[in-house]
Amino acid sequence: GASGAGKSVVLRLILGLLRPDSGTIRVDGQHIDHLKERELMRIRAGIGMMFQENALFDSLTVLENVGYRLYEETDMPKPQVRRRVEEVLGFMGLEDYIDRMPAELSGGQRRRVAIARAMAAKPHLLLFDDPTAGLDPMGEYRMMEILTRLNRESGVTIVMATHSVDLVPVFLSRLHILSRGRLVRSGTPEEVFGNRDELAGVKLRLPYIAELIHQLKSGDSLPFRRVPLTVGEARRDILEAFGARPHAQQ
């Protein structure tokens, strides 16, 4: 959804940080709307969250930030906490930064430390609030590659709030569009991006490559059978439209 659509609110509802005005919230099949704080803590134990602003503790090292939940909420011995922190930092490519302070890190590195902290307690559900915000284009792509690899290798479910429509079809399998706090459409990327006018009505757009093919199809009458959503799909369809055979990519 666009800015102000209610994406961050949904994540906070899942965590039980906010209470819904109406309807119900279920996590792992359990209604959490009326749970007391102690009961919510049990639910949150299986959830990792990365807030949009990263929310690292400036006075703590990377080790202390990533291991904070393990230090505070478990009886795990300190050497074991350090091993777990080293493990998740290694996954993020930050094992050499374990003793640094947040002020010594770049914006992208701080973002990866925040993800490592969310991973540290081995949750089965990870919530990310606009994880690519403020990153350069290559940083955005690398971040999405990291989250995709995390999902595939650990099996953790990832729920992400974003408005990066160019990245969504490449990496995500199911989408939900919000507008003014209401669910507008759910489905695969092909289903969600299938209605250009509906997207415009909720202040979103087609991915740039899809908009290009749409213009070529509708404005220039080129023979495309569908509107692709990724560069790979567009390459395939362009070659098909002109009767050319694809060559192996380097």
Side-chain angles (χ1 to χ4, degrees):
S3 296
K7 304 184 298 294
S8 298
V9 171
V10 168
L11 298 184
R12 283 163 171 76
L13 286 167
I14 294 172
L15 272 175
L17 299 177
L18 297 175
R19 302 283 185 173
D21 295 327
S22 60
T24 59
I25 307 291
R26 286 187 294 177
V27 177
D28 292 333
Q30 180 177 354
H31 289 278
I32 68 168
D33 319 284
H34 304 296
L35 294 183
K36 296 180 179 178
E37 187 63 23
R38 180 176 294 181
E39 296 170 312
L40 283 171
M41 290 297 291
R42 180 176 54 80
I43 298 293
R44 292 173 189 150
I47 303 175
M49 172 76 187
M50 192 193 86
F51 294 98
Q52 195 173 75
E53 60 276 10
N54 299 333
L56 297 181
F57 298 108
D58 292 334
S59 61
L60 301 182
T61 65
V62 169
L63 167 63
E64 293 164 334
N65 264 288
V66 175
Y68 185 82
R69 188 171 179 180
L70 300 178
Y71 287 128
E72 296 296 320
E73 298 179 13
T74 74
D75 297 324
M76 187 180 293
K78 288 185 177 181
Q80 191 174 341
V81 172
R82 185 179 180 95
R83 286 196 296 272
R84 175 58 183 163
V85 171
E86 290 173 343
E87 180 183 351
V88 293
L89 287 178
F91 184 89
M92 302 302 298
L94 293 172
E95 58 270 30
D96 294 334
Y97 295 80
I98 191 168
D99 294 316
R100 296 198 185 185
M101 303 298 290
E104 300 177 281
L105 306 177
S106 69
Q109 288 167 344
R110 288 196 295 272
R111 192 71 53 85
R112 284 186 282 157
V113 169
I115 294 175
R117 183 174 61 182
M119 293 168 52
K122 297 185 178 180
H124 62 271
L125 172 62
L126 282 171
L127 308 178
F128 291 105
D129 194 354
D130 210 352
T132 61
L135 299 179
D136 60 41
M138 285 304 298
E140 289 183 337
Y141 197 87
R142 290 194 194 100
M143 179 62 66
M144 294 299 294
E145 284 185 320
I146 288 170
L147 298 183
T148 301
R149 184 161 64 93
L150 174 60
N151 169 254
R152 289 175 178 169
E153 294 184 9
S154 70
V156 64
T157 297
I158 294 176
V159 177
M160 178 191 310
T162 184
H163 53 254
S164 299
V165 295
D166 295 296
L167 293 174
V168 160
V170 180
F171 293 102
L172 304 185
S173 59
R174 186 163 183 82
L175 314 178
H176 306 276
I177 291 184
L178 296 177
S179 179
R180 298 180 181 180
R182 295 184 178 276
L183 183 64
V184 175
R185 181 177 287 270
S186 296
T188 64
E190 291 77 15
E191 292 167 341
V192 167
F193 287 109
N195 190 323
R196 182 170 175 266
D197 293 336
E198 183 180 65
L199 291 172
V202 294
K203 300 181 181 180
L204 292 176
R205 60 170 174 79
L206 289 175
Y208 282 128
I209 191 67
E211 182 62 30
L212 170 63
I213 301 301
H214 172 80
Q215 294 291 341
L216 291 173
K217 180 180 179 181
S218 61
D220 299 293
S221 301
L222 292 184
F224 293 106
R225 293 188 292 109
R226 54 185 172 264
V227 176
L229 299 177
T230 68
V231 171
E233 292 174 356
R235 175 176 179 266
R236 176 200 63 201
D237 290 358
I238 290 171
L239 291 173
E240 181 182 290
F242 290 97
R245 288 186 176 183
H247 296 285
Q249 291 181 296
Q250 300 296 320

